[in-house]
Coordinates of all heavy atoms in Angstrom, one line a residue:
S5 N 0.3 14.1 1.4 CA -0.9 13.9 0.6 C -0.8 12.8 -0.4 O -1.7 12.0 -0.6 CB -1.2 15.2 -0.1 OG -1.6 16.3 0.8
L6 N 0.4 12.7 -1.0 CA 0.6 11.6 -1.9 C 0.7 10.3 -1.2 O 0.1 9.3 -1.8 CB 2.0 11.9 -2.7 CG 2.0 13.0 -3.7 CD1 3.4 13.4 -4.1 CD2 1.1 12.7 -4.9
E7 N 1.3 10.2 -0.1 CA 1.3 9.0 0.7 C -0.1 8.5 1.1 O -0.4 7.3 1.0 CB 2.2 9.1 1.9 CG 3.7 9.2 1.6 CD 4.5 9.4 2.9 OE1 3.9 9.8 3.9 OE2 5.7 9.2 2.8
C8 N -0.9 9.5 1.5 CA -2.3 9.2 1.9 C -3.0 8.7 0.7 O -3.8 7.7 0.8 CB -2.9 10.5 2.4 SG -4.5 10.2 3.2
A9 N -2.9 9.3 -0.5 CA -3.6 8.9 -1.7 C -3.1 7.5 -2.1 O -3.9 6.6 -2.5 CB -3.3 9.9 -2.8
M10 N -1.8 7.2 -2.0 CA -1.3 5.9 -2.3 C -1.9 4.8 -1.4 O -2.3 3.8 -1.9 CB 0.2 5.9 -2.1 CG 1.0 6.2 -3.4 SD 2.8 5.9 -3.2 CE 2.9 4.1 -3.1
E11 N -1.9 5.1 -0.1 CA -2.5 4.1 0.8 C -4.0 3.9 0.5 O -4.4 2.7 0.6 CB -2.3 4.6 2.3 CG -0.9 4.6 2.7 CD -0.3 3.2 3.0 OE1 -1.1 2.2 2.9 OE2 0.9 3.1 3.3
T12 N -4.7 4.9 0.2 CA -6.1 4.8 -0.1 C -6.4 4.0 -1.3 O -7.2 3.1 -1.3 CB -6.8 6.2 -0.2 OG1 -6.5 6.9 1.0 CG2 -8.3 6.1 -0.4
T13 N -5.6 4.3 -2.4 CA -5.9 3.5 -3.6 C -5.5 2.1 -3.5 O -6.2 1.2 -4.0 CB -5.1 4.1 -4.8 OG1 -3.7 4.2 -4.4 CG2 -5.6 5.5 -5.1
E14 N -4.4 1.8 -2.7 CA -4.0 0.4 -2.5 C -5.1 -0.3 -1.7 O -5.5 -1.5 -2.0 CB -2.7 0.3 -1.8 CG -1.5 0.7 -2.7 CD -0.2 0.8 -1.9 OE1 -0.2 0.6 -0.7 OE2 0.8 1.2 -2.5
E15 N -5.6 0.3 -0.7 CA -6.6 -0.3 0.2 C -7.9 -0.5 -0.6 O -8.5 -1.6 -0.5 CB -6.8 0.6 1.4 CG -7.7 -0.1 2.5 CD -7.1 -1.2 3.1 OE1 -5.9 -1.4 3.1 OE2 -7.8 -2.0 3.8
Q16 N -8.2 0.4 -1.4 CA -9.5 0.3 -2.2 C -9.4 -0.8 -3.2 O -10.3 -1.6 -3.4 CB -9.7 1.6 -3.0 CG -11.0 1.6 -3.8 CD -11.2 2.9 -4.5 OE1 -10.6 3.9 -4.2 NE2 -12.2 2.9 -5.4
T17 N -8.2 -1.0 -3.8 CA -8.0 -2.1 -4.7 C -8.1 -3.4 -4.0 O -8.7 -4.4 -4.5 CB -6.6 -2.0 -5.4 OG1 -6.5 -0.7 -6.1 CG2 -6.4 -3.1 -6.4
R18 N -7.5 -3.5 -2.9 CA -7.6 -4.8 -2.1 C -9.0 -5.1 -1.8 O -9.4 -6.3 -1.9 CB -6.8 -4.7 -0.8 CG -5.2 -4.7 -1.0 CD -4.5 -4.8 0.3 NE -3.1 -4.5 0.1 CZ -2.5 -3.3 0.4 NH1 -3.3 -2.3 0.8 NH2 -1.2 -3.1 0.2
Q19 N -9.8 -4.1 -1.4 CA -11.2 -4.4 -1.0 C -12.0 -4.8 -2.2 O -12.9 -5.7 -2.2 CB -11.8 -3.1 -0.4 CG -11.2 -2.8 1.0 CD -11.8 -1.5 1.6 OE1 -12.5 -0.8 0.9 NE2 -11.3 -1.2 2.8
E20 N -11.7 -4.2 -3.4 CA -12.5 -4.5 -4.6 C -12.2 -5.9 -5.1 O -13.1 -6.6 -5.6 CB -12.1 -3.5 -5.7 CG -12.7 -2.1 -5.5 CD -12.3 -1.1 -6.5 OE1 -11.4 -1.4 -7.3 OE2 -12.8 0.1 -6.5
R21 N -10.9 -6.3 -4.9 CA -10.6 -7.6 -5.4 C -11.1 -8.7 -4.5 O -11.5 -9.8 -5.0 CB -9.0 -7.7 -5.6 CG -8.5 -6.7 -6.6 CD -7.0 -6.8 -6.6 NE -6.5 -8.1 -7.1 CZ -5.5 -8.2 -7.9 NH1 -4.8 -7.2 -8.3 NH2 -5.1 -9.4 -8.2
Q22 N -11.0 -8.5 -3.2 CA -11.5 -9.5 -2.2 C -11.0 -10.9 -2.5 O -11.8 -11.8 -2.6 CB -13.0 -9.4 -2.2 CG -13.5 -8.1 -1.6 CD -15.0 -8.1 -1.5 OE1 -15.7 -8.9 -2.2 NE2 -15.6 -7.2 -0.8
E23 N -9.7 -11.0 -2.8 CA -9.2 -12.3 -3.1 C -8.9 -13.1 -1.8 O -8.4 -12.5 -0.8 CB -7.8 -12.1 -3.9 CG -8.0 -11.6 -5.2 CD -6.7 -11.4 -6.0 OE1 -5.7 -11.6 -5.4 OE2 -6.8 -11.2 -7.2
P24 N -9.2 -14.4 -1.8 CA -9.0 -15.2 -0.6 C -7.6 -15.4 -0.3 O -7.2 -15.5 0.9 CB -9.7 -16.5 -1.0 CG -9.7 -16.6 -2.5 CD -9.8 -15.1 -2.9
T25 N -6.7 -15.4 -1.3 CA -5.3 -15.6 -1.1 C -4.6 -14.2 -1.0 O -4.9 -13.3 -1.8 CB -4.6 -16.4 -2.2 OG1 -4.9 -15.7 -3.5 CG2 -5.2 -17.8 -2.2
K26 N -3.7 -14.1 -0.1 CA -2.9 -12.9 0.1 C -1.9 -12.7 -1.0 O -1.2 -13.6 -1.3 CB -2.2 -12.9 1.5 CG -1.6 -11.6 1.9 CD -1.1 -11.7 3.3 CE -0.5 -10.3 3.7 NZ 0.1 -10.4 5.0
P27 N -1.9 -11.5 -1.6 CA -0.9 -11.2 -2.6 C 0.5 -11.4 -2.1 O 0.8 -11.2 -0.9 CB -1.1 -9.8 -3.1 CG -2.5 -9.5 -2.5 CD -2.7 -10.3 -1.3
E28 N 1.5 -11.7 -3.0 CA 2.9 -11.8 -2.6 C 3.4 -10.4 -2.2 O 3.2 -9.4 -2.8 CB 3.7 -12.3 -3.8 CG 3.5 -13.8 -4.1 CD 4.5 -14.3 -5.0 OE1 5.7 -14.0 -4.9 OE2 4.1 -15.1 -5.9
V29 N 4.1 -10.4 -1.1 CA 4.8 -9.2 -0.6 C 6.3 -9.6 -0.4 O 6.6 -10.6 0.3 CB 4.2 -8.7 0.7 CG1 4.9 -7.5 1.2 CG2 2.7 -8.4 0.5
F30 N 7.1 -8.8 -1.0 CA 8.6 -9.2 -0.9 C 9.3 -8.2 0.1 O 8.8 -7.1 0.3 CB 9.2 -9.0 -2.3 CG 8.5 -10.0 -3.3 CD1 7.4 -9.5 -4.1 CD2 8.9 -11.3 -3.4 CE1 6.8 -10.3 -4.9 CE2 8.2 -12.1 -4.3 CZ 7.2 -11.6 -5.1
S31 N 10.4 -8.7 0.6 CA 11.0 -8.0 1.7 C 11.8 -6.8 1.2 O 12.0 -5.9 2.0 CB 12.0 -9.0 2.4 OG 13.0 -9.4 1.4
V32 N 12.2 -6.7 0.0 CA 12.9 -5.6 -0.5 C 12.0 -4.4 -0.7 O 11.0 -4.5 -1.4 CB 13.7 -5.9 -1.9 CG1 14.4 -4.7 -2.3 CG2 14.6 -7.1 -1.7
Q33 N 12.3 -3.3 -0.1 CA 11.4 -2.1 -0.2 C 11.9 -1.2 -1.3 O 13.1 -1.2 -1.7 CB 11.5 -1.3 1.1 CG 10.9 -2.1 2.3 CD 9.4 -2.2 2.2 OE1 8.7 -1.4 1.6 NE2 8.9 -3.3 2.7
W34 N 11.0 -0.4 -1.8 CA 11.4 0.7 -2.8 C 12.3 1.7 -2.1 O 12.1 2.0 -0.9 CB 10.1 1.5 -3.3 CG 9.2 0.7 -4.1 CD1 9.2 -0.7 -4.4 CD2 8.0 1.1 -4.7 NE1 8.2 -1.0 -5.1 CE2 7.4 0.0 -5.3 CE3 7.4 2.4 -4.7 CZ2 6.2 0.2 -6.0 CZ3 6.2 2.5 -5.4 CH2 5.6 1.4 -6.0
P35 N 13.3 2.2 -2.8 CA 14.1 3.3 -2.2 C 13.2 4.4 -1.8 O 12.4 4.9 -2.5 CB 15.0 3.7 -3.4 CG 15.0 2.5 -4.3 CD 13.7 1.9 -4.2
G36 N 13.4 4.8 -0.5 CA 12.6 5.9 0.0 C 11.2 5.5 0.5 O 10.5 6.3 1.0
K37 N 10.8 4.3 0.3 CA 9.5 3.9 0.7 C 9.5 3.4 2.1 O 10.2 2.4 2.4 CB 9.0 2.7 -0.3 CG 7.6 2.3 0.0 CD 7.1 1.3 -1.0 CE 5.7 0.8 -0.7 NZ 5.3 -0.2 -1.7
R38 N 8.8 3.9 3.0 CA 8.8 3.6 4.4 C 8.1 2.2 4.5 O 7.1 1.9 3.9 CB 8.1 4.6 5.2 CG 8.9 5.9 5.2 CD 8.0 7.0 5.8 NE 8.6 8.3 5.8 CZ 8.8 9.1 4.8 NH1 8.3 8.7 3.6 NH2 9.4 10.2 4.9
S39 N 8.5 1.4 5.5 CA 7.8 0.2 5.8 C 6.4 0.5 6.4 O 5.5 -0.3 6.2 CB 8.6 -0.6 6.8 OG 8.8 0.2 8.0
A40 N 6.3 1.6 7.1 CA 5.0 2.0 7.5 C 4.8 3.5 7.1 O 5.3 4.4 7.8 CB 4.8 1.9 9.0
R41 N 4.2 3.8 6.0 CA 4.1 5.1 5.5 C 3.3 6.0 6.5 O 2.4 5.6 7.1 CB 3.4 5.2 4.2 CG 4.2 4.5 3.1 CD 3.6 5.0 1.7 NE 3.9 4.0 0.7 CZ 3.2 3.0 0.3 NH1 2.0 2.8 0.9 NH2 3.6 2.2 -0.6
R42 N 3.8 7.3 6.5 CA 3.1 8.3 7.4 C 1.8 8.7 6.6 O 1.9 9.0 5.4 CB 4.0 9.5 7.7 CG 5.2 9.2 8.5 CD 5.7 10.4 9.1 NE 5.9 11.5 8.1 CZ 7.0 11.7 7.4 NH1 8.0 10.9 7.5 NH2 7.0 12.7 6.5
L43 N 0.7 8.7 7.4 CA -0.5 9.3 6.8 C -0.9 10.4 7.7 O -1.8 10.3 8.5 CB -1.6 8.2 6.8 CG -1.3 6.9 6.0 CD1 -2.4 5.9 6.1 CD2 -1.0 7.3 4.6
Q44 N -0.3 11.6 7.4 CA -0.6 12.7 8.4 C -1.6 13.7 7.8 O -2.6 13.9 8.4 CB 0.7 13.4 8.7 CG 1.8 12.5 9.1 CD 3.2 13.2 8.9 OE1 3.2 14.2 8.1 NE2 4.2 12.7 9.5
R45 N -1.2 14.2 6.6 CA -2.0 15.4 6.2 C -2.7 15.1 4.9 O -2.1 14.4 4.0 CB -1.0 16.6 6.0 CG -0.4 17.0 7.3 CD 0.4 18.2 7.1 NE 1.7 17.9 6.6 CZ 2.8 17.7 7.4 NH1 2.7 17.8 8.7 NH2 4.0 17.4 6.9

């Protein structure tokens, strides 16, 4: 549920900002943060 909420809020923020340039994304991941989070329940 938390992962789903995180993905939704991040996606909503990206849509609201609608910036033409892509934000910086760095290769180092948060500890425990999946590269592709599960959105199950």
Side-chain angles (χ1 to χ4, degrees):
S5 295
L6 289 169
E7 288 176 344
C8 190
M10 269 188 71
E11 292 288 357
T12 303
T13 53
E14 289 173 1
E15 188 68 17
Q16 181 179 349
T17 302
R18 289 189 191 98
Q19 291 174 357
E20 288 174 353
R21 294 175 67 140
Q22 293 180 344
E23 292 181 349
T25 56
K26 187 175 181 180
E28 287 190 42
V29 179
F30 302 94
S31 58
V32 179
Q33 295 289 332
W34 294 3
K37 183 176 180 183
R38 295 165 179 80
S39 58
R41 292 194 200 97
R42 295 198 312 269
L43 299 179
Q44 309 158 341
R45 296 182 279 266

